[in-house]
Amino acid sequence: MKKILRIALLCVLFGSLVLPIFAGGAQDKGIEKKVGVLMPTRSLQRWNQDGDYLKTKLEAQGYEVDLQYANNQVATQVSQLENMVTAGSKILVVASIDSTALKGALAEAAKAGCVIIAYDRLLMDTPNCDYYATFDNYKVGTLQGTFIVEKLGLKDGKGPYNLEVFGGSPDDNNAYLFNQGAMDQLQPYIDKGQLVINSGQTEMSVIAIQAWKPEGSQARMDNLLTAFYADKKVDVVLSPNDSLAQGIVASLKSAGYGTAAKPFPVLTGQDCDRINVKMMINGEQSMSVFKDTRTLAERVVTMVTELGEGKPVTVNDTESYDNNVKVVPSFLCDPVFADANNYKALLIDTGYYTMDEIQ
Ligand code: BGC
């Protein structure tokens, strides 16, 4: 009899504590339909778009959305996360500033019964990361690297060309994957002497730019040009994203690049930010990688809805993303190559931008 009572008690507890997070009926009470969305900063165009899309799409599914930006301040993001948990969000979508700094707050969130989805950037060194939705970060780097190989005719033995390499923010796990993807393509030509890095700087500890700031890449490019290119030209610059490409172009312009005698180097990027699409049209940047934020937001809305309905969450990769504690079940979206020739089809025809926005 005692056993039956115990089982009955457990069933009641399970019904009232666990099911409401997932079951549609319980969601109608409101609080369980609250989703916390944490974004790193408003200073980069993409995160504004990511946040807006997520909010609009989740609200259309009946979720209440608490969307917060942390101005790239780690302490701010920690307290935003804590406050969301206190205010009753049961699903957290987190685009972190620092991949490891949230682990204490995430442990508390997990204790409070939250499900945690890492958005675009993996949450490292924590068991409390349930799912990861991103673009294939290694492939982003591969697209940049293969573009350089093809553009310079390296497979045909052309060169030598002067190359400099930039890295993303050292606290962002993505930065290492972009770098790896690109360098795997470029390294054979560095080894053969077809690509020459006059600064000799290739280690992430030296080439990384904190917080992906254009001011940071501008300052480093200024230093490289002064120290290593007083009597030669830089022919190609690997920039992992668009914000860094902006700083690099500002530096190149002030050093007199952009003329027939001193053309802009081949320059990569990522995100297809509006400013950078203009730069591609003007011949200042050679390519970018397009990661349609609508696709990623849509994927996360699907994950949230699946969780809300108690269904298994759809993932397409259960091997690649080890956060040092576990392999996080992930959904990888496909990044695509963009340049001045195909941007109309990719960005205008699909309604991502209007022509006015990039002119
Ligand atoms: C994102 C990039 C972005 C960069 C800077 C990375 O984690 O994947 O799309 O350009 O952060 O915000």
Side-chain angles (χ1 to χ4, degrees):
M1 191 62 187
K2 260 193 192 158
K3 196 171 170 193
I4 292 172
L5 273 176
R6 254 204 325 264
I7 291 169
L9 190 65
L10 276 175
C11 287
V12 170
L13 269 176
F14 184 78
S16 59
L17 291 179
V18 180
L19 286 180
I21 301 169
F22 300 106
Q27 286 174 357
D28 295 336
K29 283 193 291 175
I31 194 158
E32 291 82 12
K33 291 209 85 170
K34 233 178 171 179
V35 180
V37 177
L38 295 116
M39 289 285 138
T41 174
R42 281 200 175 279
S43 68
L44 253 81
Q45 184 197 315
R46 71 153 293 181
W47 303 115
N48 294 288
Q49 284 172 197
D50 290 78
D52 288 349
Y53 283 134
L54 279 169
K55 189 164 158 54
T56 311
K57 289 179 178 174
L58 285 167
E59 282 175 353
Q61 295 295 321
Y63 287 89
E64 190 185 325
V65 178
D66 184 358
L67 168 65
Q68 302 282 340
Y69 286 82
N71 197 21
N72 265 339
Q73 302 296 313
V74 174
T76 306
Q77 193 166 58
V78 170
S79 64
Q80 285 174 341
L81 199 151
E82 288 166 351
N83 291 339
M84 284 176 182
V85 175
T86 311
S89 289
K90 285 289 178 234
I91 298 177
L92 299 174
V93 179
V94 188
S96 61
I97 298 162
D98 179 313
S99 309
T100 59
L102 293 171
K103 60 182 178 192
L106 290 172
E108 291 307 311
K111 261 192 230 157
C114 296
V115 179
I116 293 138
I117 302 173
Y119 185 87
D120 192 87
R121 298 172 172 173
L122 186 56
L123 294 158
M124 301 298 288
D125 298 346
T126 174
N128 306 121
C129 176
D130 298 291
Y131 302 99
Y132 181 33
T134 191
F135 283 88
D136 184 335
N137 295 302
Y138 181 85
K139 185 169 175 195
V140 170
T142 308
L143 288 170
Q144 295 167 337
T146 46
F147 171 76
I148 291 175
V149 171
E150 280 163 22
K151 185 82 186 167
L152 298 181
L154 298 176
K155 281 193 184 141
D156 303 330
K158 294 202 179 139
Y161 294 106
N162 294 325
L163 164 72
E164 292 298 336
V165 177
F166 282 70
S169 193
D171 49 8
D172 180 349
N173 184 56
N174 288 354
Y176 300 88
L177 300 167
F178 301 147
N179 181 259
Q180 193 65 53
M183 291 312 280
D184 283 351
Q185 299 303 315
L186 301 179
Q187 195 61 49
Y189 302 100
I190 297 171
D191 294 343
K192 285 187 210 156
Q194 286 172 262
L195 291 172
V196 179
I197 302 178
N198 284 291
S199 69
Q201 299 174 4
T202 54
E203 293 300 313
M204 277 296 280
S205 56
V206 189
I207 63 171
I209 305 293
Q210 188 65 42
W212 299 91
K213 284 200 170 150
E215 303 88 306
S217 59
Q218 183 169 356
R220 178 165 180 262
M221 194 72 215
D222 284 348
N223 291 339
L224 291 174
L225 292 175
T226 311
F228 304 101
Y229 293 91
D231 55 356
K232 25 177 131 52
K233 279 196 318 12
V234 61
D235 302 309
V236 48
V237 182
L238 173 70
S239 167
N241 91 330
D242 280 355
S243 60
L244 299 189
Q246 288 169 25
I248 292 164
V249 166
S251 168
L252 289 165
K253 279 184 177 169
S254 60
Y257 281 80
T259 63
K262 212 176 174 187
F264 283 113
V266 170
L267 174 63
T268 58
Q270 161 182 205
D271 291 337
C272 285
D273 281 354
R274 281 188 283 268
I275 297 177
N276 298 72
V277 178
K278 286 184 202 169
M279 285 164 51
M280 290 199 288
I281 296 168
N282 293 340
E284 297 165 350
Q285 180 175 332
S286 320
M287 62 84 77
S288 189
V289 176
F290 180 45
K291 305 196 299 188
D292 192 330
T293 43
R294 296 170 298 189
T295 310
L296 188 56
E298 199 66 69
R299 175 48 49 192
V300 170
V301 173
T302 303
M303 284 181 164
V304 169
T305 320
E306 286 168 343
L307 284 165
E309 290 170 358
K311 291 185 185 153
V313 171
T314 308
V315 292
N316 63 6
D317 184 297
T318 50
E319 285 171 9
S320 307
Y321 285 93
D322 186 332
N323 77 349
N324 297 332
V325 175
K326 64 188 227 189
V327 177
V328 181
S330 305
F331 196 101
L332 308 186
C333 304
D334 207 25
V336 294
F337 169 84
D339 70 359
N341 297 317
N342 73 354
Y343 78 91
K344 278 194 187 135
L346 281 180
L347 305 171
I348 309 295
D349 298 352
T350 65
Y352 198 73
Y353 295 140
T354 62
M355 213 49 198
D356 285 349
E357 286 176 308
I358 53 161
Q359 268 167 352

